[in-house]
Amino acid sequence: MFMVIQLFELHGARDCAIDVARTALSAADSDDPHIATLHSVMFVHHLALGHFEESYNSLIANPDKERRENNNNKMLDTLMSFPYVDMMETFTNIVMARARACDSVRNLFYDFLYSFEIKRGNM
């Protein structure tokens, strides 16, 4: 199954790689050690295709905490790479408003905003 996925990846057939991973997940036992890898495959390809909701669903369905964190970082990198052109102020205001509205103990919006500004070279 993974060799088939790799062949699809090699030829840029991301949608086919997603289909193989989805089919393998539907046939897998709940204790199959490949489940986390299959969710990661689906996440990566959905993200690359711009299917953000599907990539998020694959992210949260992944039973492996380390893979979830790794994939979450990839998603944030992707979101931070958009140019946002003339919407930059609106974007940062939205994130700042959400940061202020959240619990200050574990507030990821401030972390995100800080990382976003660092990546843009504003700090």
Side-chain angles (χ1 to χ4, degrees), residues 27-96:
D29 293 331
S30 61
D31 60 345
D32 189 321
H34 301 295
I35 288 177
T37 303
L38 293 167
H39 280 293
S40 289
V41 165
M42 289 179 56
F43 168 82
V44 166
H45 293 299
H46 277 306
L47 187 63
L49 291 169
H51 304 159
F52 299 117
E53 187 171 344
E54 291 91 341
S55 64
Y56 174 77
N57 290 336
S58 296
L59 170 74
I60 61 172
N62 198 322
D64 185 325
K65 183 180 185 226
E66 189 174 315
R67 284 184 186 264
R68 278 194 317 267
E69 290 174 0
N70 214 7
N71 291 339
N72 194 34
N73 285 334
K74 288 178 188 175
M75 182 175 269
L76 289 175
D77 285 344
T78 299
L79 293 174
M80 288 192 295
S81 69
F82 292 136
Y84 296 102
V85 191
D86 60 344
M87 301 182 316
M88 189 58 65
E89 186 175 348
T90 302
F91 175 78
T92 54
N93 287 342
I94 290 168
V95 176
M96 184 63 73

Side-chain angles (χ1 to χ4, degrees), residues 2-18 37 40-42 44-45:
F2 288 112
M3 291 181 78
V4 173
I5 290 172
Q6 288 176 340
L7 282 172
F8 284 132
E9 291 172 343
L10 182 66
H11 295 287
R14 294 181 180 278
D15 53 339
C16 294
I18 291 168
T37 303
S40 289
V41 165
M42 289 179 56
V44 166
H45 293 299

